[in-house]
Amino acid sequence: MSATETARPTKGPDTSRVVLSVRDLKKWFPIRKGLFSRVVGHVKAVDGVSFDIHAGETLGLVGESGCGKTTVGRTILRLNDPVTAGIAEFHGQDVFELQGGDLRALRRRMQIIFQDPYSSLNPRMTVESIVGEALTVHGMVANKKERRERVQDLLEKCGLDPIRHITRYPHEFSGGQRQRIGIARAIALEPELIVCDEPVSALDVSIQAQVINLLQRLQEEMGIAYLFIAHGLAVVEHISHRVAVMYLGRIAEIADTETLYANPVHPYTQALLSAIPSPDPDAPLNPHPLEGEVPTPINPPAGCRFHPRCRFAEDRCKSNTTPIPIYEVGPGHRVACILGENVDGAKRVGELVHGDDETSAS
Amino acid sequence: MTERGQARLLEVSGLQTEFVTDDGLVRAVDGVSFSVDRGEILGIVGESGCGKSVTNLSVMGLLPKPQGRIVGGSVFFDGRDLVGLPESELRSVRGNRIAMIFQDPMTSLNPYLRVEEQLVEVAELHMGLSRPEAVKRAVELLDRCGIPDAARRIRGYPHEFSGGMRQRVMIAMALLCDPDLLIADEPTTALDVTIQAQILELIKELRDERGMGVILITHDLGVVAGMCDRVLVMYAGRVVEEAAVEPLFATPGHPYTAALLRSVPTLDDEAHGKLQSIAGLPPRLDGGSFRQCTFLPRCALAHDACNEGDPELIEETPGRKRRCILPVEQVR
Ligand SMILES: Nc1ncnc2c1ncn2[C@@H]1O[C@H](COP(=O)(O)OP(=O)(O)OP(=O)(O)O)[C@@H](O)[C@H]1O
Ligand SMILES: Nc1ncnc2c1ncn2[C@@H]1O[C@H](COP(=O)(O)OP(=O)(O)OP(=O)(O)O)[C@@H](O)[C@H]1O
Ligand code: SF4
Ligand SMILES: [Mg+2]
Ligand SMILES: [Mg+2]
C-alpha cells in the first residue's frame, strides 16, 4: 500500500439492504454471592440497544470504557449466551434462535476481531493453522498447498511477512503483529459482517493507517459491513459511515458521521469530542474533561443515566417519573436527551424505558 | 521526594537482545542506548515490531527463556548493572523499585484469582502492609484509576472486567508498590480519552510528588506530546532519533519520524479518504549487518549517498541524536 496512491471512490453502503438489525438488546450479567451462589443483582452491561447496519456500511460504536461495547458485539455473535432480551436479525433471521449447523453457518458469515490480541490466539498453533484452520473447516481450500498460498496472501495483505511469519507461534510476535494475525483470521472467510473490537488501538499510527486502509479496501471489494468499536473518535470518524455513541449500556446518539461530528446534540457526545488529545505539545491534554465519576452499570443512575455528569441536567432528567425522550433531529439522527426538543424540526420518536425490570431478567 | 544519588536512575548502553527461533536468529534489539532521570518521562515510539517491548523486557530481566537473551550491553539501575544479576536479586528490584505495566494484560493478571487477592498480595508482599491496609490501598488506587464502585468491583474476577478496566487493574497493580521507575508499555490503548487523561494525570502526579522516573511506550503521538520530556524513536531494533519533545514535533530529524507524524489521523481529515501509511515492510532482523541505511527502502527522501553504509547515531546538538545523513532542514 503506497502513501501516494490516491483515494479510490467508495461505493458506499447499500442502504436498501439491512444486514443486521438489533432491537432492544439487553445483556445483564448476574452477580452471585454466598454458598448457594444466590443472584444478588445484575451488571446491566447492555440495557436496551437498537441499531441497523446495511450492506457495505461501517457503523462506529464509541463510548467510555465499560459502557458495554464489547458486550454488544459478543452478544450478537452468540459468544455471551444466553441473551437477556431483545432480537438481532441477520438477514432477517434472529440469531438468538439459531442452533447447530445454522449457528455454525452464521459464524462463517459473521466474524470478530477481538479486542485482546493475546488471549484470543491459541498459543500452541502456528500462524498458518490459526489463520487457515477455518478455511479447511469450511472447505474453502482444496489442499494444503492451496491453503498455504491463501494464508500467505492474507498475511501479506495485513502487513506481515508471508514467508518468515507463517511458521511462528503467537508469543513470538509483538503486540501489533498479533493483532494483525487476528485480522487475517477474521477476513479469511470473507464474511459479510465483521465486529471489529478496537482493531487498531494496539497498533502504531502507520500500521493503524495500513489496517484501516485494508479494511476499507476489503469493504469496497467485498461489500463487508463493519461494526467498528473504538474509543478513538478520530479513527472512528475516518472509517465510519455512521456513528453510535454509547453510554452505560444505552445509545445516547446516533447519526451519520459528518452530522454527528459537526452537530452533536447529546452533551455526552459533545464532551467526547472535546476530549481528543492533539499531537501538539502545547495543547493541554484534555481541555473539557467530563466532570464526575463514571457510574456503575450495577446501579445505574435514575432518569437519564448521564445526568450526574451533565451540565444541562434539569429536574426532569433526574428521576424515573418522566421518561427520557428520543428525538429524531434530522434524517437518521436520533438523540436520547431532552435537548433534542430545541432542535428545529425535531420529532419525538420514542423514549427510553425506565423502571426496575430486574425481575424479568433471566 | 526520593534521595537523589549520583548515578542516573536508569542508564542503558549498547543493549542487544536476540531470540532463537525455528528459522534462525531474531535480533530484536540492536545496540540501544538511553537514560532516564528521576522525575523524567521518556517516551518510546516506533512501528509495531521495532523492539520497544523487548527493550523493556530486557531491562526488567523478563525475556522469555530459553529463547531470549541479552547478548550485549549494560542496564545500570541506580548505579548497579542488572544484566547478569541472579534471579532472586532481580526479583526484589522488580517488586520494590521498578514496576512494569505490560502490554499484555493477562501477563500480570491471574484469571483464577479475584482481583482483590492479586492486588492485596502485591501490597502485603512488597510494602509490608497488613491485610486491611492493603485492601484499603488497593481500593484507593483502583478508584484513582477510574474504576467505578471499586470497593465492590475489586471482588470480581478478571474476565468480569471490560478490556479497559483490566488495563486499569494492571496500572493500579504497578503503582501499588510506589516504584522509583515505572515502565508503561502501551498503558492506555484500551482506554477512552477521558479515562486516559485521568490515568496520565495520575502518572504525572506520582512523578511530581515522588520523583518517579517513567518510560512510556506508546504509539499515540498525542499522548507523547502531552506527557513526555524526551522521546526515543526506534526503527528495526535501533534508535533512529532522540530529542526533547518540542523540537521532535517541530522539526523531526529523521524521515521515519516525519512519516510517523504524518500518519496521525486528525479530526479534520477528509472522511473515508486514504490515511497516509508508510509503504513497505521493515527489514529482517536476523543479526546481519546493514550495508545501507536501514530505512532506505521505505524512505521518500533517499538519495545515492544513503546506499553507502548505515548512518551512525550522531549527537548533533546537545540532547538531540539522529541517524540520517540528510541535513536536518531537508527532513520533511
Ligand atoms: N462476563 C462478565 N461477567 C460480569 N460482568 C461483565 C462480564 N463481561 C463484561 N462485564 C461487565 O459489563 C460491563 C461492560 O463491559 P464491556 O466489556 O462490554 O465494556 P466495553 O465498553 O467493551 O469497555 P472497554 O472499552 O473497556 O473494552 C463492564 O462493567 C464489565 O465489567
Ligand atoms: N519470543 C520471541 N521469539 C522470536 N521473536 C520475537 C519474540 N518476541 C518478540 N519477537 C520479535 O522481536 C521484534 C520486536 O518485538 P517487540 O515486541 O519488542 O515489538 P514492539 O516494538 O513492542 O511492537 P508493538 O508495538 O507491536 O508492541 C518483533 O519483530 C517480534 O516479532
Ligand atoms: S437528558 Fe438531561 S441529563 Fe441527560 S444528557 Fe440530556 S440534558 Fe443532560
Ligand atoms: Mg471492550
Ligand atoms: Mg510491544
Side-chain angles (χ1 to χ4, degrees):
Chain A
M1 217 173 297
S2 141
T4 51
E5 222 172 278
T6 48
R8 249 172 286 182
T10 338
K11 253 192 271 131
D14 177 355
T15 44
S16 65
R17 282 174 55 217
V18 175
V19 176
L20 179 75
S21 173
V22 175
R23 289 292 173 273
D24 295 319
L25 186 71
K26 290 189 185 180
K27 177 64 199 177
W28 295 4
F29 295 103
I31 305 168
R32 296 175 195 280
K33 214 178 201 154
L35 208 51
F36 302 102
S37 295
R38 200 163 44 89
V39 175
V40 294
H42 289 95
V43 180
K44 297 174 184 169
V46 176
D47 202 20
V49 159
S50 306
F51 58 83
D52 288 340
I53 304 182
H54 303 98
E57 182 179 56
T58 303
L59 176 68
L61 185 61
V62 296
E64 279 167 300
S65 176
C67 73
K69 305 178 296 294
T70 297
T71 306
V72 168
R74 291 181 58 99
T75 305
I76 293 166
L77 282 162
R78 296 283 304 271
L79 297 171
N80 260 349
D81 281 353
V83 65
T84 306
I87 53 173
E89 285 182 351
F90 185 67
H91 289 295
Q93 197 173 26
D94 190 355
V95 301
F96 300 120
E97 285 172 355
L98 299 179
Q99 280 175 352
D102 292 340
L103 185 56
R104 270 193 300 282
L106 174 82
R107 294 248 155 90
R108 188 175 81 70
R109 299 169 71 190
M110 255 162 95
Q111 289 283 318
I112 182 166
I113 300 167
F114 289 97
Q115 180 172 12
D116 180 356
Y118 299 92
S119 50
S120 62
L121 301 176
N122 184 335
R124 275 176 286 279
M125 280 163 70
T126 62
V127 168
E128 175 161 21
S129 334
I130 290 172
V131 177
E133 188 183 35
L135 290 171
T136 314
V137 172
H138 292 281
M140 293 178 71
V141 286
N143 52 42
K144 283 217 160 116
K145 183 169 160 287
E146 205 180 308
R147 180 171 102 159
R148 170 157 290 213
E149 284 167 7
R150 189 83 187 88
V151 171
Q152 285 180 328
D153 179 48
L154 287 161
L155 293 185
E156 198 157 15
K157 271 190 175 154
C158 297
L160 293 165
D161 184 331
I163 312 289
R164 291 207 125 201
H165 285 160
I166 195 163
T167 53
R168 290 218 211 146
Y169 293 88
H171 71 267
E172 298 178 335
F173 288 92
S174 77
Q177 289 166 335
R178 276 182 245 196
Q179 187 64 284
R180 281 175 279 164
I181 298 170
I183 294 174
R185 173 175 63 184
I187 63 176
L189 297 175
E190 305 188 355
E192 289 156 72
L193 175 78
I194 304 182
V195 173
C196 309
D197 195 356
E198 314 248 10
V200 297
S201 53
L203 305 177
D204 63 274
V205 279
S206 149
I207 306 284
Q208 265 187 23
Q210 256 183 46
V211 168
I212 287 180
N213 290 342
L214 167 72
L215 290 173
Q216 278 182 336
R217 206 182 65 225
L218 294 169
Q219 182 168 66
E220 286 161 31
E221 290 170 7
M222 313 197 259
I224 308 178
Y226 299 126
L227 178 62
F228 195 97
I229 299 172
H231 52 267
L233 275 165
V235 169
V236 176
E237 178 191 31
H238 194 87
I239 194 168
S240 307
H241 300 99
R242 283 186 304 134
V243 176
V245 175
M246 210 173 154
Y247 190 77
L248 268 194
R250 292 178 166 171
I251 304 236
E253 184 162 9
I254 185 167
D256 67 74
T257 308
E258 244 160 74
T259 309
L260 190 96
Y261 285 71
N263 301 312
V265 175
H266 202 288
Y268 181 59
T269 313
Q270 292 170 1
L272 279 186
L273 276 171
S274 77
I276 297 168
S278 95
D280 170 1
D282 297 327
L285 257 183
N286 188 352
H288 305 289
L290 273 168
E291 298 290 321
E293 300 264 302
V294 188
T296 95
I298 300 174
N299 282 316
C304 172
R305 291 189 173 176
F306 187 59
H307 87 252
R309 304 167 78 192
C310 181
R311 289 186 290 150
F312 304 100
E314 298 175 8
D315 280 345
R316 56 182 167 147
C317 305
K318 296 177 185 167
S319 80
N320 284 347
T321 45
T322 28
I324 297 300
I326 301 175
Y327 287 101
E328 179 149 327
V329 293
H333 183 180
R334 290 180 175 217
V335 58
C337 168
I338 56 160
L339 297 180
E341 72 198 14
N342 303 335
V343 179
D344 273 349
K347 259 200 330 261
R348 187 172 170 135
V349 291
E351 53 198 35
L352 291 176
V353 183
H354 297 307
D356 188 8
D357 24 17
E358 189 88 35
T359 43
S360 64
S362 54
Chain B
M1 277 286 158
T2 49
E3 277 175 30
R4 279 167 198 270
Q6 301 293 94
R8 297 205 117 143
L9 185 59
L10 183 75
E11 178 107 49
V12 175
S13 324
L15 184 70
Q16 286 184 314
T17 302
E18 292 181 352
F19 292 101
V20 181
T21 70
D22 286 350
D23 60 359
L25 201 69
V26 176
R27 178 167 298 167
V29 179
D30 195 7
V32 164
S33 306
F34 63 90
S35 63
V36 184
D37 281 328
R38 290 174 176 80
E40 182 181 46
I41 303 183
L42 174 74
I44 304 187
V45 299
E47 191 164 43
S48 177
C50 72
K52 305 179 295 291
S53 296
V54 173
T55 297
N56 287 285
L57 290 173
S58 307
V59 168
M60 294 284 285
L62 286 175
L63 291 170
K65 292 187 178 106
Q67 319 91 291
R69 61 200 166 127
I70 296 178
V71 295
S74 58
V75 175
F76 277 86
F77 175 69
D78 208 7
R80 184 159 67 142
D81 193 356
L82 302 183
V83 176
L85 269 197
E87 181 56 31
S88 58
E89 284 182 51
L90 267 181
R91 204 174 302 140
S92 107
V93 173
R94 277 200 301 265
N96 300 315
R97 305 202 52 199
I98 310 183
M100 180 153 179
I101 301 167
F102 292 90
Q103 191 175 6
D104 169 3
M106 283 333 232
T107 312
S108 32
L109 292 180
N110 179 338
Y112 303 109
L113 276 184
R114 289 177 198 279
V115 166
E116 174 170 318
E117 295 306 320
Q118 313 194 33
L119 290 175
V120 163
E121 186 189 312
V122 173
E124 284 176 336
L125 209 65
H126 296 297
M127 303 201 61
L129 296 181
S130 71
R131 172 95 195 181
E133 284 167 345
V135 173
K136 185 161 162 269
R137 181 163 167 81
V139 169
E140 192 184 287
L141 263 168
L142 284 181
D143 190 52
R144 282 181 85 176
C145 292
I147 298 272
D149 202 7
R152 166 144 48 165
R153 299 300 307 257
I154 195 172
R155 288 199 286 275
Y157 291 92
H159 78 268
E160 297 174 345
F161 284 66
S162 78
M165 289 160 65
R166 249 176 277 181
Q167 204 168 35
R168 281 174 276 164
V169 170
M170 276 203 314
I171 295 168
M173 191 181 282
L175 295 176
L176 263 180
C177 64
D178 262 341
D180 295 321
L181 175 67
L182 174 71
I183 301 179
D185 194 351
E186 306 278 10
T188 56
T189 46
L191 302 181
D192 48 89
V193 279
T194 40
I195 304 272
Q196 170 174 298
Q198 186 176 345
I199 301 273
L200 295 177
E201 274 313 314
L202 175 63
I203 291 177
K204 272 189 169 170
E205 265 167 48
L206 293 174
R207 186 270 302 266
D208 295 340
E209 286 165 20
R210 309 200 44 261
M212 176 174 82
V214 181
I215 299 176
L216 182 66
I217 304 172
T218 175
H219 58 258
D220 189 331
L221 295 170
V223 169
V224 172
M227 285 289 285
C228 299
D229 301 307
R230 266 183 319 123
V231 187
L232 211 60
V233 183
M234 284 184 70
Y235 183 74
R238 303 187 303 164
V239 176
V240 294
E241 182 163 9
E242 179 184 334
V245 69
E246 285 87 5
L248 188 93
F249 278 88
T251 52
H254 194 283
Y256 176 64
T257 315
L260 263 190
L261 291 176
R262 268 200 306 277
S263 44
V264 184
T266 56
L267 262 187
D268 36 55
D269 262 354
E270 188 196 339
H272 309 298
K274 259 176 107 76
L275 289 172
Q276 299 247 344
S277 68
I278 306 170
L281 289 176
R284 286 178 182 166
L285 309 168
D286 50 14
S289 56
F290 295 102
R291 278 193 215 95
Q292 41 164 264
C293 172
T294 42
F295 190 57
L296 183 138
R298 305 171 72 188
C299 184
L301 305 175
H303 56 107
D304 288 350
C306 305
N307 272 306
E308 291 163 14
D310 193 25
E312 299 278 317
L313 184 66
I314 291 172
E315 182 157 8
E316 281 175 348
T317 47
R320 178 138 206 205
K321 300 179 187 161
R322 48 187 212 105
R323 198 188 279 279
C324 175
I325 56 172
L326 286 178
V328 76
E329 314 80 65
Q330 284 178 30
V331 175
R332 275 170 284 125

